[in-house]
Amino acid sequence: MKVAVIQFPGSNCDADALHAARLTLDPDAQFVWHTEGGLPTGTDLVLLPGGFSYGDHLRSGAIAARSPIMAAVKEHAERGGYVLGVCNGFQVLTEAGLLPGALSRNREVHFVCRPVHLRVENAGTAYTSAYRPGQIIEIPIAHGEGNYYADAETVARLEDEGRVALRYVDNPNGSLNDIAGIVNERGNVLGMMPHPERAVEALLGSEDGRGIFESLKGVPVAR
């Protein structure tokens, strides 16, 4: 699986994301700068990393969502290509309209940085098949605007369609329905606030995030 990690000004988790991608999926995974007009030929997975793109000006992810590369990312997703947005990447996906809802200030209005426990709500997605249904995993978070919100109809649809992939066991930010990660209708786009790339090897204290990447091994790709 060929992986492209998008770099925005202010991204500070891009190196972690690249390392995780190379460790688990593609030893030749590469960075793509946000001003590029297209993705590398044969890209299967686009990874939008965490960080503070454009210093979180306006709204977290709002400016990055309008970067030139995002047109190619949208086309990639529409063709069935895989897109994983982590933390700020999740915010970018909602701002770009690739996922519903929005991420707002944490309930306690504090930046939260610590490991959290997640429950795998849907183990049937392209990103969670390496886990068991209901499995509890530990993955770190690091965000100030991770409070997921959507209107009642949207949240009900996400729940009814099984599109809540991951849920907080002990909600750290006030997200509706304890939502930590969701997929789009097609299931090829995942946005999640926790950082799986920071939990892919024992040296980091946990390997629980590795399954997010390894689930993608063997999935059908559309090029």
Side-chain angles (χ1 to χ4, degrees):
M1 172 165 282
K2 188 170 183 177
V3 182
V5 179
I6 308 302
Q7 286 185 300
F8 300 103
S11 296
N12 66 352
C13 304
D14 44 5
D16 296 343
L18 187 70
H19 173 72
R22 287 178 172 175
L23 183 70
T24 59
L25 286 172
D26 176 13
D28 298 316
Q30 60 184 295
F31 286 131
V32 176
W33 189 236
H34 71 113
T35 57
E36 293 293 330
L39 297 168
T41 301
T43 295
D44 300 305
L45 171 67
V46 175
L47 210 167
L48 303 178
F52 304 92
S53 59
Y54 292 93
D56 281 349
H57 291 303
L58 299 183
R59 294 181 309 277
S60 296
I63 301 177
R66 290 153 180 81
S67 291
I69 193 61
M70 288 305 297
V73 173
K74 289 179 181 179
E75 291 175 4
H76 175 75
E78 290 169 358
R79 291 195 302 269
Y82 297 95
V83 181
L84 170 60
V86 174
C87 198
N88 185 231
F90 187 6
Q91 296 162 343
V92 172
L93 289 175
T94 60
E95 289 287 343
L98 285 169
L99 288 174
L103 285 306
S104 62
R105 292 291 296 173
N106 293 345
R107 175 179 50 204
E108 304 299 331
V109 201
H110 294 302
F111 187 89
V112 183
C113 183
R114 60 179 173 84
V116 299
H117 289 105
L118 308 173
R119 183 170 61 251
V120 180
E121 287 296 298
N122 184 349
T125 77
Y127 301 91
T128 55
S129 62
Y131 302 109
R132 302 183 308 276
Q135 182 176 347
I136 304 299
I137 59 177
E138 184 179 272
I139 296 180
I141 58 170
H143 58 252
E145 298 184 25
N147 187 344
Y148 181 78
Y149 174 82
D151 61 82
E153 181 181 349
T154 297
V155 172
R157 186 167 65 251
L158 290 172
E159 297 285 3
D160 293 344
E161 296 175 357
R163 289 167 55 192
V164 177
L166 301 163
R167 206 183 301 273
Y168 296 112
V169 174
D170 183 13
N171 194 327
N173 53 35
S175 289
L176 287 177
N177 290 29
D178 303 322
I179 289 172
I182 61 172
V183 293
N184 65 342
E185 291 183 11
R186 192 168 181 174
N188 59 314
V189 178
L190 170 69
M192 59 184 294
M193 286 309 297
H195 286 265
E197 78 282 5
R198 297 182 182 178
V200 292
E201 49 192 334
L203 181 65
L204 299 175
S206 172
E207 295 181 273
D208 286 359
R210 196 179 183 106
I212 297 294
F213 300 95
E214 293 192 336
S215 293
L216 289 162
K217 291 180 178 179
V219 297
V221 295
R223 295 180 178 171

